[in-house]
Amino acid sequence: MEPDIRIAVDIGGTFTDIEILDAQTGAIHQIKTPSTPSDPSVGLLTGIRQASERFGFPMEAVQYLLHGTTIATNAVLERKLPLGAVITTAGFEDVMQIGRHGRTDVYAITLAQPDPLVARRLCFGVTERVNAAGEVTVPLDEAGVRRVAAQIAEAGVKSVAVCLLHAYANPAHERRIGEILAQALPGVAVTLASDISPEIREYERMSTTALNAMLVPIVQRYTDRLAGRLKEELPEAQVYLVQSNGGVAGLAKAGREPARLLLSGPSGGAAAAKRLSATLDEPNLVAVDMGGTSFDVSVVHDGQVAMVNEGEVDGLPVRLPMIEMRTIGAGGGSIAWVDEGGRLRIGPHSAGADPGPACYGKGGTQFTVTDANLLLGRLDGASFMGGAMPLDREAARKAAEPIATRLGLTIDQVAAGVIDVANSALATATRLSLFEKGMDPEDFALLSFGGAGGVHACEVAEELGIRRVVFPAHASTLSAWGILWSDIAHDLSATQIGLLSDLAPGLARTAERLVADARALLSEDGVPEAAQRFEWALDLRYAGQAFDLRVPLAGADFSAVGVETATAAFHALHRQRFSYDEPSVPVEMVALRLKAVGGLAKPMAAAAEPSLAEAAERSRPVHGRHGPVATPVRDRDFIGMTEPVAGPAVVEEPYTSIYLPAGWSVLTHASGALVADRLSRH
């Protein structure tokens, strides 16, 4: 029998996490290797080679490679984007510069807006007009399009976004402009709004289209380079990239629509949380992923991951379906500093993978959260990364000295302060993620993962009033573990605005068109019809509102009963989010949404065998709430299923550690996860 190896990779700012599943035996392995920011594929292949040697499988046995990447996100955050242009309806050339005037900080005297992606001089208008009903009222001036194409060529533009006023209702003019540009501008990346985001709201649609167009050259270079290297080293592997919606896409689609990759890595953690919610019988989980550079929060409520129709990257709207995620710059590598007012601050800047925290011994001199955890005894310098990467305690102390001098504190007080400030930031981000949905943290368990999360989770939970914390197996690489079970996914939508009761009779025809388009995409991916499934949702709002809510729709049921069910679900969701509903107000539909899923084969993972060996007795001083305390140190494999371990304690595994404060106890769940419960308030 031929070996069948499935590999999932999550490339972070500090480490590249890899999960390996042997489909023949069900064995799952994990490995971490330092990321290589200059070319992420180098770290990816290095890790796979190491895994091949360590776990004894040939490279040609790899059948699937599922890959989460931050390459698109980093390009936007760093604004390392090629020169772009926009073509829009004449009279709307200023949309990109005007943007939206929403205030995220209501107390700010001035409104800080992100810099426009495209300079005004490169926003071109062409004569045409389609109304909101999709009727052509002014024909397209094709000669004008060719004149604009000549100006774009002269300016040296590398990517063009075509975003006409009502192209979501009728894309004919955008399609024709795309044909003209393909002839006039060979080699220039062109994205049509009607392809990437065929929805209302012209600024959000234009921002999404421009982002996609400008990311195409960057992501295609990466996918071409990756494909070339993988062809040599993993000749049998089918390669997929993870999208922001939690599904995966082939390299060709990822290259055409790279804006769908902007939450590629973190979405794997949310997918893992949903899977674990069922396994643990915990329908409400708030999942927190703390890695080297960031802290990502996602929510599973009633067993379902929260989704949104629009996200934001660096202040720029992205009008695409994605897992709802809150991200702050607070990870193990986040740098501690003192502001002008003498306050201790953490991040958002990070020491990253190179040079990394001072204790890595790679030349870093700035004090980080990881350095603080080492000095407080919550991390063991000798066993970090399974002993492959010892930490330098003296380098950490030296990095803390300038802050200690500035604040007039001891080194230990600075380290404890860094942890307190970091925990407060983590709790605030988690609290906001729940409060904005009308949810109470006390109704949730905290799912903690990521390499840096275990030493903070219980204290963060205490601040939130959460009484249960789950530390899953493979916690340090859980995003990669979630990616391991991903399916192909395509999002399609049709904008239709009007009263739901009026539009419902015609929605069956719209649904048939979306299904036909979806089946074509899945067939292109080689997904047999038996492995295809469809998930429906409606964007609904009260008549007169300017915003809408995404309401799941069981099947494509547009009968009177289906409309009544969707309307009731909308009222309930509105009441949960905003504490009120208005049953007497008519409900208006904005869009019909379809998520087309192509199921990939799901091999069974072997059940973890509990260890029967005796644990060696160890302890070390660990700083808790009241200073250093002699604290037991246990290996994760020796936490039993019947006899709880009470805090204070430190639980270690090769790639992460857990700090269990006093007042908490921990047991092993049948799934292999550790479940910590809060016994009393301290």
Side-chain angles (χ1 to χ4, degrees):
M1 186 176 292
E2 290 295 321
D4 182 359
I5 302 296
R6 177 183 299 235
I7 294 180
V9 182
D10 175 30
I11 300 179
T14 307
F15 288 103
T16 293
D17 299 342
I18 301 176
E19 289 271 335
I20 305 102
L21 171 61
D22 185 334
Q24 300 298 329
T25 66
I28 297 181
H29 309 288
Q30 59 179 314
I31 194 168
K32 290 176 81 78
T33 188
S35 294
T36 51
S38 59
D39 184 351
S41 65
V42 173
L44 180 152
L45 283 167
T46 298
I48 293 175
R49 291 190 205 102
Q50 291 173 354
S52 173
E53 294 172 5
R54 182 179 304 179
F55 304 119
F57 62 85
M59 299 284 275
E60 58 269 19
V62 178
Q63 300 296 308
Y64 289 100
L65 176 63
L66 312 176
H67 171 18
T69 177
T70 57
I71 188 167
T73 311
N74 292 342
V76 177
L77 295 177
E78 298 169 12
R79 293 299 175 98
K80 293 181 178 178
L81 298 166
L83 187 63
V86 168
I87 296 178
T88 187
T89 304
F92 290 84
E93 298 90 341
D94 296 305
V95 165
M96 185 74 76
Q97 281 64 40
I98 294 171
R100 295 284 182 205
H101 285 201
R103 283 184 175 270
T104 54
D105 184 353
V106 296
Y107 299 106
I109 295 174
T110 58
L111 178 63
Q113 290 280 73
D115 293 331
L117 281 170
V118 178
R120 175 61 182 82
R121 65 184 179 85
L122 294 175
C123 294
F124 301 94
V126 295
T127 300
E128 69 85 38
R129 197 60 176 263
V130 173
N131 65 20
E135 300 162 341
V136 176
T137 59
V138 177
L140 175 66
D141 178 7
E142 296 191 7
V145 175
R146 293 187 176 90
R147 288 193 296 271
V148 167
Q151 291 176 269
I152 288 173
E154 187 177 350
V157 165
K158 303 299 182 184
S159 58
V160 180
V162 182
C163 185
L164 304 182
L165 187 57
H166 290 298
Y168 61 83
N170 181 352
H173 287 175
E174 279 195 358
R175 296 270 188 273
R176 181 57 186 146
I177 291 174
E179 293 170 357
I180 294 171
L181 295 182
Q183 296 174 350
L185 302 172
V188 173
V190 177
T191 297
L192 308 183
S194 51
D195 287 339
I196 189 68
S197 184
E199 302 191 14
I200 61 168
R201 298 188 175 90
E202 62 271 17
Y203 169 59
E204 289 78 6
R205 180 161 30 100
M206 186 178 290
S207 171
T208 305
T209 308
L211 270 172
N212 193 82
M214 297 167 82
L215 286 169
V216 165
I218 295 169
V219 173
Q220 282 189 347
R221 273 199 307 272
Y222 176 70
T223 55
D224 290 347
R225 187 167 62 241
L226 179 65
R229 287 178 173 168
L230 294 179
K231 187 175 182 180
E232 296 176 1
E233 303 211 34
L234 304 175
E236 302 299 322
Q238 298 181 47
V239 184
Y240 298 95
L241 295 188
V242 182
Q243 302 176 104
S244 304
N245 63 6
V248 297
L251 292 183
K253 186 192 177 188
R256 292 194 308 268
E257 300 182 357
R260 297 188 186 275
L261 308 178
L262 285 166
L263 288 181
S264 176
S267 67
K274 179 180 178 181
R275 188 177 181 90
L276 287 169
S277 172
T279 302
L280 297 165
D281 195 24
E282 291 280 359
N284 294 341
L285 285 175
V286 55
V288 294
D289 178 4
M290 186 176 182
T293 56
S294 65
F295 179 77
D296 304 315
V297 185
S298 56
V299 176
V300 179
H301 183 241
D302 289 337
Q304 298 299 317
V305 177
M307 299 287 295
V308 292
N309 298 331
E310 181 182 312
E312 186 179 278
V313 177
D314 197 29
L316 300 168
V318 183
R319 187 74 179 170
L320 293 171
M322 58 183 64
I323 289 173
E324 189 169 13
M325 192 85 59
R326 181 181 298 275
T327 299
I328 63 171
S334 294
I335 295 169
W337 54 288
V338 180
D339 67 15
E340 294 178 355
R343 294 184 303 167
L344 182 62
R345 305 284 294 275
I346 305 296
H349 40 299
S350 171
D354 188 12
C359 62
Y360 282 13
K362 296 166 64 176
T365 59
Q366 294 178 293
F367 194 61
T368 69
V369 173
T370 295
D371 294 311
N373 278 308
L374 177 65
L375 294 182
L376 295 179
R378 300 180 180 197
L379 295 178
D380 179 14
S383 63
F384 190 75
M385 291 288 287
M389 189 175 171
L391 301 181
D392 187 340
R393 187 180 181 87
E394 285 307 309
R397 291 186 65 85
K398 186 175 180 180
E401 287 174 355
I403 298 176
T405 301
R406 172 83 184 272
L407 297 178
L409 301 173
T410 67
I411 298 294
D412 287 346
Q413 287 173 330
V414 168
V418 165
I419 299 305
D420 286 344
V421 172
N423 286 345
S424 178
L426 306 184
T428 298
T430 307
R431 186 181 292 112
L432 288 173
S433 294
L434 293 170
F435 282 3
E436 67 187 10
K437 300 176 184 64
M439 298 173 182
D440 186 341
E442 293 191 11
D443 296 332
F444 284 75
L446 186 76
L447 178 69
S448 172
F449 57 101
V455 289
H456 297 266
C458 289
E459 291 177 330
V460 171
E462 286 186 6
E463 190 165 335
L464 293 166
I466 291 175
R467 305 189 66 84
R468 171 165 288 186
V469 178
V470 178
F471 302 96
H474 300 249
S476 181
T477 56
L478 193 74
S479 287
W481 183 87
I483 292 169
L484 200 60
W485 311 102
S486 294
D487 290 316
I488 295 169
H490 298 286
D491 287 300
L492 300 93
S493 64
T495 295
Q496 293 196 0
I497 302 174
L499 295 181
L500 177 59
S501 55
D502 293 342
L503 294 176
L507 289 181
R509 291 191 300 274
T510 305
E512 289 174 2
R513 175 174 61 80
L514 292 178
V515 168
D517 292 344
R519 289 199 186 280
L521 289 170
L522 292 173
S523 296
E524 184 181 315
D525 293 321
V527 179
E529 193 165 317
Q532 300 175 9
R533 72 176 190 273
F534 304 107
E535 300 171 5
W536 297 90
L538 291 169
D539 292 353
L540 301 177
R541 64 189 182 188
Y542 289 121
Q545 281 185 322
F547 62 90
D548 47 77
L549 295 175
R550 181 184 180 120
V551 178
L553 182 68
D557 182 5
F558 306 112
S559 66
V561 173
V563 169
E564 184 178 344
T565 301
T567 301
F570 169 73
H571 290 315
L573 182 57
H574 198 282
R575 185 168 57 253
Q576 176 192 299
R577 288 287 182 99
F578 306 111
S579 301
Y580 78 97
D581 60 342
E582 296 283 356
S584 61
V585 177
V587 173
E588 193 171 64
M589 172 183 164
V590 177
L592 173 64
R593 296 189 179 276
L594 170 62
K595 183 176 183 178
V597 179
L600 298 177
K602 296 291 187 301
M604 291 290 292
E609 292 291 334
S611 174
L612 301 178
E614 292 293 327
E617 293 291 334
R618 293 182 290 148
S619 72
R620 64 172 179 262
V622 176
H623 287 247
R625 300 181 184 91
H626 308 294
V629 175
T631 301
V633 178
R634 306 290 296 272
D635 289 334
R636 181 181 180 122
D637 290 343
F638 302 120
I639 305 297
M641 299 178 68
T642 57
E643 294 294 329
V645 172
V650 172
V651 181
E652 294 184 340
E653 56 183 290
Y655 295 126
T656 189
S657 294
I658 295 167
Y659 173 59
L660 194 72
W664 289 79
S665 70
V666 65
L667 281 170
T668 297
H669 184 270
S671 67
L674 298 184
V675 179
D677 287 298
R678 190 178 179 190
L679 303 177
S680 61
R681 296 185 182 275
H682 286 255

